[in-house]
Amino acid sequence: MIFLPIALILFILGWVIKVKKVTWLISGYNTASKEKQKEYDIEKLCKYFGNFLYVLASIYLIWGIILLILPQYMDLIIWSGFISGFIGIVGGIIYLNAGNKVKK
């Protein structure tokens, strides 16, 4: 049951960042100096980060559905969900930071 609320929160945050362009939710960007913020393309940053949150929400949604279908394997599913979420986070951070995808 823990995965479904997490998926919902991540989906909402992804939507807020991607569609509404709420950049103060993006850690690092919101604390950067104005000069450093000018180096980034806001459209790309919001698009990539919003999509990143959508992917994480999808991972947790899938594990939440699996947990509803197979509750007898709760411990295994919870560990698998959090490990795959961690891998998704690390992979997403590496992807976002590699190659200056969001710089102007």
Side-chain angles (χ1 to χ4, degrees), residues 48-99:
Y48 278 112
F49 202 77
N51 287 340
F52 169 63
L53 290 175
Y54 287 157
V55 169
L56 285 179
S58 299
I59 290 170
Y60 288 126
L61 179 65
I62 290 168
W63 285 109
I65 292 170
I66 291 172
L67 186 58
L68 289 175
I69 294 171
L70 302 170
Q72 66 270 24
Y73 300 111
M74 180 183 286
D75 290 339
L76 176 65
I77 293 169
I78 288 175
W79 277 106
S80 300
F82 282 122
I83 289 170
S84 63
F86 178 76
I87 291 169
I89 290 169
V90 171
I93 290 170
I94 291 171
Y95 177 78
L96 284 173
N97 289 317

